[in-house]
Amino acid sequence: MVQKRDYYDILDVGRDADEDQIKKAYRKLAIKYHPDKNPDNKEAEEKFKEATEAYDVLRTPEKRQRYDQFGHAGLEGTSSGFDFGVNLDDIFSEVFGDVFGGFGRTQNRPKQGRSLQYNLEISLEDAFNGKEVTIEVPRIESCPECKGSGAERGTTVETCPQCYGRGQITQSQGFFTMSRPCPRCRGEGEIIQSPCRNCNGQGRIRVKRELKLKIDKGVDNGIEYRLQGEGEAGTLGGPPGDLHVVIHIQPHQQFSRDGNDLITSAKISFAQAALGSTIEINSLEGPQKLNIPAGTQYGDQLRIHGKGMPKYRSSSFGDLVVKIGIVTPKNLNEQQRKLLEQFAELQDESVESEQKGFWDKLFHHDDDEKK
């Protein structure tokens, strides 16, 4: 009589191994030695059987306790290992889920439909004001003619006579059994003798559906709206998936966005920058007055509080940020030039030196470019 190997040695785990360690060890061996991966390999088949027997014992607390106490003798006369027909589907389902290497369970159970993503482009004005939009979504829905059954109206779906509705057939291979998808119904468990002409027996059709969506004020790029149940239809009575609408805001010609702030620019004259002034600029709410403090410099950023974007799902607003540019005067007349030269002298700035001063650079720059 061939001496059986120790189950812990077979799985290469310690005697104190927990359930997860035992399962991982068996998974590794089952993948390596599975008959489908090793056709006509008797040695691999024996190792596969040996590993499965070891796992079947060590995964069961009562069997493991007997084995730990009495060894292989403690399992004699009990339903241990492969002394009886073991259905590998139970083991594979536990270790690998519903499918293992093309085998496993192809259960006819309801399945939720696929969720969809819709990318929606809106303008900055729409994001500022909020808007209700209508979108057209292509999706798969349950066929209205056959109510999702796939059978022509007035006919019924028949239970597969080969697998009796299980969607799988059981085959014996030596001392264990294994299940495969039923070849007649292709694992569906049902047969349609008269397919629905509207959906060609699929039970689902592709349509375009119009949906209304309210866009909140202050939405930003990447904000997602989830429309529950507006995805594709499920199968076998399963619920539909969801529709995820992702917001994308189109670039604006005048404004850019930094969080809840709106960024724009304005050009002022040298006199306005030096003496201060009040100018009018555009905002998404219409014209706004902006105070220019005396001594404003090129590149300064001035803010109008509360005139930026509304904060998403809030009653507060960001700011309107105005970047200042200073316009250099062109085509000065003689009086204007003399006045500016006098100003330069008061500032102790020479406009005639070889090392050109500020005013010379400022007002002769355009003349140099023309030459």
Side-chain angles (χ1 to χ4, degrees):
M1 181 176 178
V2 179
Q3 183 72 27
K4 282 191 173 185
R5 292 176 61 202
D6 182 83
Y7 287 148
Y8 292 99
D9 288 345
I10 292 171
L11 297 182
D12 194 22
V13 295
R15 303 191 78 83
D16 59 347
D18 59 24
E19 184 179 348
D20 285 341
Q21 290 173 317
I22 291 172
K23 183 181 291 186
K24 287 179 182 177
Y26 172 66
R27 181 197 296 264
K28 182 178 178 181
L29 293 173
I31 292 174
K32 182 177 180 180
Y33 295 117
H34 192 279
D36 270 7
K37 296 181 179 293
N38 302 274
D40 301 322
N41 188 331
K42 292 295 183 182
E43 183 181 356
E45 183 179 345
E46 289 302 320
K47 288 183 179 294
F48 175 73
K49 295 174 183 177
E50 188 180 50
T52 304
E53 179 178 340
Y55 175 69
D56 183 53
V57 170
L58 298 184
R59 71 172 179 146
T60 310
E62 183 180 344
K63 293 180 183 180
R64 184 176 181 180
Q65 184 180 4
R66 279 179 165 272
Y67 178 73
D68 288 344
Q69 189 172 0
F70 303 108
H72 291 291
L75 299 174
E76 293 178 0
T78 68
S79 57
S80 61
F82 288 89
D83 295 336
F84 70 107
V86 176
N87 191 331
L88 290 184
D89 279 348
D90 294 335
I91 293 178
F92 291 162
S93 180
E94 176 184 317
V95 177
F96 298 98
D98 285 342
V99 177
F100 175 81
F103 296 109
R105 298 175 183 243
T106 55
Q107 297 179 352
N108 281 343
R109 56 188 176 190
K111 184 178 180 181
Q112 185 175 18
R114 188 166 62 99
S115 291
L116 303 175
Q117 177 174 310
Y118 185 96
N119 296 312
L120 177 62
E121 283 197 353
I122 62 173
S123 66
L124 187 63
E125 285 82 359
D126 291 338
F128 182 86
N129 296 307
K131 186 179 182 180
E132 185 177 88
V133 298
T134 300
I135 59 177
E136 188 176 70
V137 181
R139 68 185 187 189
I140 293 176
E141 293 185 356
S142 180
C143 174
E145 291 295 320
C146 63
K147 308 299 183 186
S149 71
E152 188 69 30
R153 184 179 295 184
T155 66
T156 58
V157 178
E158 300 177 5
T159 300
C160 176
Q162 186 167 345
C163 66
Y164 303 104
R166 293 180 65 237
Q168 55 185 347
I169 55 174
T170 302
Q171 295 177 324
S172 296
Q173 295 185 5
F175 50 79
F176 61 90
T177 58
M178 188 173 292
S179 295
R180 299 176 182 270
C182 175
R184 183 162 183 179
C185 65
R186 297 181 180 179
E188 297 295 329
E190 298 174 332
I191 294 177
I192 300 174
Q193 298 289 2
S194 301
C196 171
R197 284 172 287 184
N198 189 50
C199 65
N200 295 319
Q202 299 300 310
R204 304 193 302 170
I205 58 173
R206 180 170 291 276
V207 299
K208 289 185 178 180
R209 186 69 61 193
E210 287 190 349
L211 301 172
K212 291 187 180 297
L213 175 66
K214 184 179 179 181
I215 304 298
D216 296 293
K217 295 180 179 181
V219 295
D220 205 347
N221 282 311
I223 284 181
E224 182 177 298
Y225 289 90
R226 175 172 171 258
L227 279 62
Q228 190 171 3
E230 295 295 350
E232 293 191 345
T235 56
L236 299 174
D242 300 330
L243 176 65
H244 300 269
V245 181
V246 182
I247 299 298
H248 299 274
I249 300 177
Q250 300 164 345
H252 197 277
Q253 289 185 344
Q254 186 173 359
F255 301 101
S256 60
R257 185 173 179 176
D258 182 12
N260 294 307
D261 291 339
L262 285 176
I263 315 297
T264 188
S265 60
K267 292 184 178 181
I268 59 176
S269 67
F270 160 72
Q272 289 174 314
L275 302 175
S277 180
T278 298
I279 64 173
E280 192 175 83
I281 62 170
N282 290 327
S283 76
L284 291 178
E285 293 183 77
Q288 302 290 332
K289 291 189 179 300
L290 176 66
N291 292 322
I292 307 295
T296 294
Q297 302 296 308
Y298 177 88
D300 281 354
Q301 296 186 8
L302 305 179
R303 287 179 177 266
I304 303 180
H305 293 289
K307 295 302 178 181
M309 291 293 294
K311 295 182 179 179
Y312 181 59
R313 293 180 176 173
S314 171
S315 58
S316 57
F317 285 74
D319 297 336
L320 179 60
V321 180
V322 184
K323 294 182 178 181
I324 297 299
I326 299 176
V327 180
T328 302
K330 298 179 180 180
N331 303 319
L332 296 174
N333 59 34
E334 189 64 26
Q335 184 180 5
Q336 290 171 327
R337 182 178 293 275
K338 285 183 178 180
L339 288 173
L340 286 173
E341 288 174 349
Q342 291 174 12
F343 180 81
E345 289 175 3
L346 292 173
Q347 291 291 103
D348 197 23
E349 293 180 349
S350 173
V351 295
E352 299 296 338
S353 66
E354 293 182 4
Q355 301 270 337
K356 291 187 177 181
F358 167 75
W359 293 107
D360 195 40
K361 292 178 182 179
L362 185 65
F363 298 118
H364 292 284
H365 177 70
D366 292 333
D367 294 336
D368 292 341
E369 284 189 344
K370 290 177 182 177
K371 295 177 182 178

